[in-house]
């Protein structure tokens, strides 16, 4: 496993104001494809067609077929040792804030209560009533799914050009400002405003550690970079063995 400095070990052991931001890379070992890079979703599919309000207005059926396929794929996956290590660490250190860009709900299935700043694939939203609700049906019985009020439901995920959920992002910002240790795990750090969180934390004096299989635009700003798969690095780093 990647070698860990004494400073980082100490901050992990203290467990004061620790923030972890995760991206698609943490779910890679669970079998969930990432977005960018080889075999990433956005290499094969159009963001404009599948992840924008315009694409949805144009063809809700196409968008929902893709989301239904992703829901089916993820429902067949399980949380991995990285998700479990973060959940166990959070249980030991309740002041820890877990922020995720992932919409796959794998952190929650591992027992964490993350701030889901990009929404969740297993929630639907009624644009007419303005309400969201959990929907675990896999596959969906009708595409596109329709609300009791007659409106076409949409996935409760953030699309390009849309604002992030105010409450979750507000809490994430606040945690970033207070952070003593900020872990950036499995994200390309290309999508803002999520990618601003580690920058804010670093600017306020947090120790910034990145865990990724490759370099990212954030690597140069990090105090420490641990190169390796999150599911392998996290149990050792957080001192949580995987039974
Ligand atoms: P990306 O696909 O952009 O980046 C995934 C990152 O994970 C890359 O930096 C990989 O090197 C790294 N990675 C791959 N396998 C890994 C592993 N086993 N362990 C650790 N790291 C690994 O995914 P995100 O950064 O999450 O937005 O993308 C950000 C947002 O862009 C997503 O939330 C999504 C997407 O469009 C929305 O859905 C709104």
């Amino acid at each position: 496993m990647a070698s860990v400095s004494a400073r980082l070990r100490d901050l992990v052991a203290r467990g004061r104001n620790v923030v972890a931001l995760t991206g698609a890379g943490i779910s890679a070992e669970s079998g969930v494809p990432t977005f960018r890079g080889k075999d990433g979703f956005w290499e094969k599919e159009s963001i404009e067609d599948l992840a924008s309000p315009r694409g949805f207005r144009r063809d809700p059926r196409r968008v929902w077929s893709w989301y239904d396929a992703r829901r089916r794929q993820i429902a067949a996956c399980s949380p991995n040792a990285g998700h479990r290590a973060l959940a166990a660490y959070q249980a030991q250190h309740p002041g820890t804030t877990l922020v995720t860009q992932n919409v796959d709900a794998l952190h929650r299935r591992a027992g964490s209560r993350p701030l889901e700043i990009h929404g969740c694939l297993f929630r639907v939203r009624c644009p007419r009533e303005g309400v969201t609700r959990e929907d675990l049906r896999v596959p969906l019985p009708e595409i596109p799914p329709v609300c009791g009020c007659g409106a076409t439901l949409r996935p409760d995920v953030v699309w390009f050009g849309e604002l992030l959920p105010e409450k979750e992002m507000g809490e994430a910002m606040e945690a970033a400002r207070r952070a003593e240790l900020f872990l950036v795990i499995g994200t390309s750090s290309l999508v803002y405003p999520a990618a601003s969180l580690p920058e804010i934390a670093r600017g306020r004096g947090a120790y910034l550690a990145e865990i990724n299989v490759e370099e990212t635009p954030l690597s140069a700003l990090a105090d420490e970079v641990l190169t390796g798969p999150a599911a392998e690095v996290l149990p050792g780093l957080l001192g949580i063995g995987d039974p």
Side-chain angles (χ1 to χ4, degrees):
M1 155 174 154
S3 77
V4 177
S5 72
R7 174 88 196 277
L8 179 51
R9 285 219 181 277
D10 186 48
L11 285 165
V12 167
R14 269 161 59 98
R16 283 188 28 178
N17 294 333
V18 177
V19 179
L21 170 68
T22 63
I26 194 169
S27 297
E29 264 85 34
S30 295
V32 182
T34 59
F35 292 94
R36 296 171 183 81
K38 191 175 157 290
D39 298 329
F41 284 125
W42 300 150
E43 298 305 303
K44 291 173 262 170
E45 310 280 0
S46 144
I47 292 182
E48 172 63 20
D49 286 348
L50 297 174
S52 79
R54 221 171 85 183
F56 186 66
R57 277 196 301 274
R58 215 160 38 208
D59 194 346
R61 200 183 155 72
R62 159 128 206 260
V63 171
W64 263 116
S65 300
W66 188 68
Y67 279 97
D68 190 46
R70 280 184 70 200
R71 285 161 58 103
R72 271 185 278 155
Q73 179 183 39
I74 289 164
C77 296
S78 302
N80 65 51
H83 299 107
R84 287 193 294 272
L86 280 168
Y89 185 81
Q90 217 183 359
Q92 285 173 4
H93 305 277
T96 302
T97 305
L98 175 59
V99 185
T100 189
Q101 299 167 85
N102 297 345
V103 295
D104 59 23
L106 289 177
H107 282 303
R108 269 195 280 147
R109 283 170 59 194
S112 288
R113 288 281 161 275
L115 295 170
E116 295 176 319
I117 57 174
H118 287 173
C120 177
L121 268 182
F122 296 96
R123 277 199 313 263
V124 292
R125 194 192 312 163
C126 174
R128 188 182 294 164
E129 297 177 336
V131 293
T132 63
R133 68 181 81 93
E134 190 172 61
D135 188 334
L136 301 174
R137 296 172 301 169
V138 168
L140 286 166
E142 55 177 350
I143 288 184
V146 174
C147 182
C149 76
T152 300
L153 292 164
R154 61 164 279 177
D156 189 31
V157 299
V158 177
W159 283 328
F160 285 86
E162 294 187 313
L163 294 176
L164 271 56
E166 209 174 309
K167 179 171 175 290
E168 283 78 1
M169 196 54 192
E171 286 179 33
M173 291 275 216
E174 187 48 38
R177 286 190 205 105
R178 281 196 322 263
E180 286 184 26
L181 170 62
F182 197 107
L183 303 171
V184 192
I185 306 162
T187 173
S188 57
S189 294
L190 290 170
V191 175
Y192 282 79
S196 67
L197 293 169
E199 295 171 353
I200 290 168
R202 183 71 175 75
R204 293 286 192 113
Y207 191 82
L208 184 59
E210 179 180 61
I211 296 143
N212 203 306
V213 290
E214 57 189 37
E215 219 174 89
T216 75
L218 194 80
S219 306
L221 189 69
D223 294 290
E224 191 160 344
V225 174
L226 303 180
T227 304
E232 284 175 27
V233 174
L234 284 173
L237 172 66
L238 301 179
I240 289 156
D242 204 37

